[in-house]
């Protein structure tokens, strides 16, 4: 097998660092670039200063550097039409077209697909009028699940515990157009543990990845505001193989087939944000990309070659994956104040003292080569072990090795399974 493939990864977070890290283990990959990357990614790939939305510049770079395959991380690049532009230019890309990515960018489109192809999910109604939406919410029991019908950087879903909270969310979304003019979806509240099921999808082909669970709330005990995710782990012991198979057969495969039938075949990672209800797994949301921070605990467990997996999806070939049975658990170190306002620029020390993988989510190097915080979520510190308890201990030991007074973290990642 020749190790001669050149890969471009698009993005700058922990997810992209984990993708770069997995690609660096490939027997087929000779060189990795990442646009724009971050301080940690720069140790494993050559960072290129192109923004993820500048899809024409990314295509030009891929052409000039004879990139064999581009792998897309963030939804912003998908929404900017990166896959459409690369396909137009005959460049190979792992990531869905704008049309297929509507499964994430339009909650209404996703719900219509689920309705049409009989995929289990909560019942819902769509509203554009504030008063009608509020009357509907008030006619129903709490909590009220309110979703903005579009991309909202992880802030477009509110689970309101009171009618006042629901009114505020509706006012933000419909009267103040906080995320842009649009619609909202009001959905039935579903109860049960949540889990993330990511699958590599190539048209009707679906290659399941290992199951993970994310922790959305900022503080221990699942308290505090919603965030992009404060930690994750994989595998998830309460998702048995039977439940996983049920989710694959009733959710992920019909979604992939449904997108083909709708004339929007999907190539990339289809992320099922699922909930295990008394009636079985149901869909909370679909995303059109790898989850963050789930990717940082799933890819370290992948033993087979990730380039082969990406290549198979792009070419439409069959592919098998192999997984390490060990557990991986990761803890996010975030800037104080996150998910609200926070300061950047704090020096991070001790990164060389950890013995697990530390994925950089929001960092940069200064002129002296010091690593500085550069985002809300800054690092995803992982640990592996024979079981989740061992992985948790390993991750927490690594967290302790890192010195940065302005970062905070949760101590109870994995609590539903430990
Ligand atoms: N961790 C949730 C997401 O990536 O959307």
């Amino acid at each position: 097998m020749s190790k001669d493939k050149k890969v471009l990864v698009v993005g700058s977070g922990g997810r992209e660092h984990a993708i770069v890290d997995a690609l660096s283990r490939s027997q087929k990959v000779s060189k990795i670039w990442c646009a724009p990357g971050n301080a940690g990614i720069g140790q494993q790939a050559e960072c290129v200063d192109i923004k993820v939305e500048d899809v024409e510049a990314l295509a030009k770079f891929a052409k000039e550097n004879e990139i064999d395959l581009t792998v897309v991380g963030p939804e912003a690049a998908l929404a900017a039409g990166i896959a459409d532009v690369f396909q137009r230019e005959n460049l190979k890309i792992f990531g869905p077209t704008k049309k297929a990515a509507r499964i994430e960018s339009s909650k209404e489109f996703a719900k219509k697909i689920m309705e049409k192809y009989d995929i289990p999910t909560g019942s819902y109604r769509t509203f554009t009028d504030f008063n009608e939406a509020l009357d509907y919410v008030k006619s129903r029991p709490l909590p009220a699940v309110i979703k903005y019908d579009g991309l909202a950087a992880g802030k477009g879903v509110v689970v309101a515990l009171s009618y006042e909270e629901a009114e505020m969310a509706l006012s933000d979304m419909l009267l103040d157009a906080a995320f842009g003019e649009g619609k909202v979806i009001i959905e039935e509240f579903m109860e049960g543990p949540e889990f993330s099921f990511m699958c590599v999808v190539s048209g009707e082909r679906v290659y399941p990845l290992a199951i993970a669970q994310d922790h959305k709330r900022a503080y221990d005990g699942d308290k505090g505001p919603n965030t992009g995710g404060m930690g994750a782990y994989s595998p998830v012991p309460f998702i048995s193989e039977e439940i996983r198979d049920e989710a694959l057969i009733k959710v992920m495969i019909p979604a992939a087939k449904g997108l083909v039938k709708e004339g929007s075949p999907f190539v990339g990672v289809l992320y099922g944000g699922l909930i295990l209800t008394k009636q079985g797994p149901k869909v909370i949301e679909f995303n059109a990309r790898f989850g963050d921070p789930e990717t940082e605990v799933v890819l370290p467990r992948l033993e087979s070659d990730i380039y082969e997996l990406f290549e198979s999806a792009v070419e439409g070939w069959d592919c098998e994956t192999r997984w390490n049975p060990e557990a991986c658990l990761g803890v996010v170190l975030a800037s104080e104040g996150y998910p609200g306002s926070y300061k950047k620029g704090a020096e991070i020390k001790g990164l060389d003292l950890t013995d697990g993988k530390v994925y950089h989510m929001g960092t940069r190097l200064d002129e002296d080569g010091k690593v500085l915080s550069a985002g809300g979520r800054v690092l995803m510190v992982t640990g592996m072990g024979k079981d989740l308890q061992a992985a948790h201990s390993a991750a927490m030991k690594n967290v302790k090795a890192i010195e940065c007074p302005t970062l905070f973290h949760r101590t109870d990642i994995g609590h539903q399974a430990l």
Side-chain angles (χ1 to χ4, degrees), residues 15 214 216 228-229 271 285 287 289-294 377:
R15 162 182 53 206
D214 181 13
K216 289 267 167 45
Y271 167 116
E285 64 173 359
N287 291 327
R289 52 171 174 81
F290 275 110
D292 195 355
E294 292 94 327
R377 293 189 297 173

Side-chain angles (χ1 to χ4, degrees), residues 8-69:
L8 170 65
V9 177
V10 175
S12 63
R15 162 182 53 206
E16 290 77 23
H17 194 177
I19 295 169
V20 164
D21 182 52
L23 282 165
S24 71
R25 297 194 293 276
S26 167
Q27 291 309 304
K28 289 191 148 183
V29 173
S30 58
K31 167 121 195 182
I32 311 169
W33 285 265
C34 187
N38 63 35
I41 292 174
Q43 291 169 4
Q44 291 179 282
E46 188 177 325
C47 293
V48 190
D49 191 15
I50 306 177
K51 291 197 172 61
V52 302
E53 297 89 351
D54 196 351
V55 295
E56 297 287 348
L58 289 167
K60 185 163 175 271
F61 179 86
K63 237 183 203 169
E64 283 170 4
N65 290 279
E66 296 175 338
I67 300 289
D68 292 289
L69 178 69

Side-chain angles (χ1 to χ4, degrees), residues 79-109:
I82 190 169
D84 309 72
V85 168
F86 272 56
Q87 283 174 14
R88 183 194 76 204
E89 298 296 325
N90 286 321
L91 293 162
K92 290 198 173 144
I93 186 152
F94 180 78
T97 59
K98 217 168 159 175
K99 209 170 153 199
R102 280 179 302 162
I103 192 97
E104 171 169 6
S105 63
S106 167
K107 303 292 169 216
E108 194 181 25
F109 175 75

Side-chain angles (χ1 to χ4, degrees), residues 4-193:
D4 57 2
K5 300 296 183 196
K6 296 196 260 179
V7 186
L8 170 65
V9 177
V10 175
S12 63
R15 162 182 53 206
E16 290 77 23
H17 194 177
I19 295 169
V20 164
D21 182 52
L23 282 165
S24 71
R25 297 194 293 276
S26 167
Q27 291 309 304
K28 289 191 148 183
V29 173
S30 58
K31 167 121 195 182
I32 311 169
W33 285 265
C34 187
N38 63 35
I41 292 174
Q43 291 169 4
Q44 291 179 282
E46 188 177 325
C47 293
V48 190
D49 191 15
I50 306 177
K51 291 197 172 61
V52 302
E53 297 89 351
D54 196 351
V55 295
E56 297 287 348
L58 289 167
K60 185 163 175 271
F61 179 86
K63 237 183 203 169
E64 283 170 4
N65 290 279
E66 296 175 338
I67 300 289
D68 292 289
L69 178 69
T70 296
V71 180
V72 189
E75 60 272 31
L78 299 172
I82 190 169
D84 309 72
V85 168
F86 272 56
Q87 283 174 14
R88 183 194 76 204
E89 298 296 325
N90 286 321
L91 293 162
K92 290 198 173 144
I93 186 152
F94 180 78
T97 59
K98 217 168 159 175
K99 209 170 153 199
R102 280 179 302 162
I103 192 97
E104 171 169 6
S105 63
S106 167
K107 303 292 169 216
E108 194 181 25
F109 175 75
K111 281 291 197 191
K112 284 191 171 151
I113 293 272
M114 288 186 258
E115 229 168 22
K116 188 159 172 190
Y117 297 97
D118 212 12
I119 298 169
T121 187
S123 57
Y124 75 103
R125 276 187 59 185
T126 308
F127 294 89
T128 48
D129 181 79
F130 169 77
N131 289 315
E132 281 177 24
L134 187 59
D135 285 349
Y136 180 69
V137 163
K138 285 188 173 163
S139 71
R140 294 168 49 86
L142 292 166
V145 181
I146 301 168
K147 295 180 174 176
Y148 174 70
D149 181 43
L151 293 177
K155 293 179 187 147
V157 179
V158 173
V159 180
L161 299 175
S162 68
Y163 292 117
E164 291 71 37
E165 208 185 327
E167 185 169 350
M168 231 149 67
L170 289 172
S171 162
D172 279 353
M173 292 180 198
L174 291 175
L175 296 182
D176 300 341
F179 312 114
E181 295 290 332
K183 300 179 237 183
V184 296
I185 275 172
I186 298 177
E187 195 182 68
E188 169 197 356
F189 176 72
M190 297 181 282
E191 257 175 298

Side-chain angles (χ1 to χ4, degrees), residues 275-337:
I275 182 162
L276 182 57
T277 70
K278 288 202 177 91
Q279 298 84 40
K282 292 191 182 183
V283 179
I284 297 177
E285 64 173 359
F286 282 118
N287 291 327
R289 52 171 174 81
F290 275 110
D292 195 355
E294 292 94 327
T295 304
E296 294 94 304
V297 294
V298 167
L299 293 189
R301 298 187 55 225
L302 180 66
E303 283 184 341
S304 46
D305 195 309
I306 198 165
Y307 184 86
E308 281 181 12
L309 181 58
F310 290 151
E311 188 180 39
S312 302
V314 172
E315 301 290 357
W317 299 334
D318 285 335
C319 183
E320 289 197 355
T321 52
R322 270 192 330 280
W323 296 92
N324 182 342
E326 286 201 344
C328 186
L329 185 144
V331 178
V332 170
L333 304 196
S335 300
E336 265 169 17

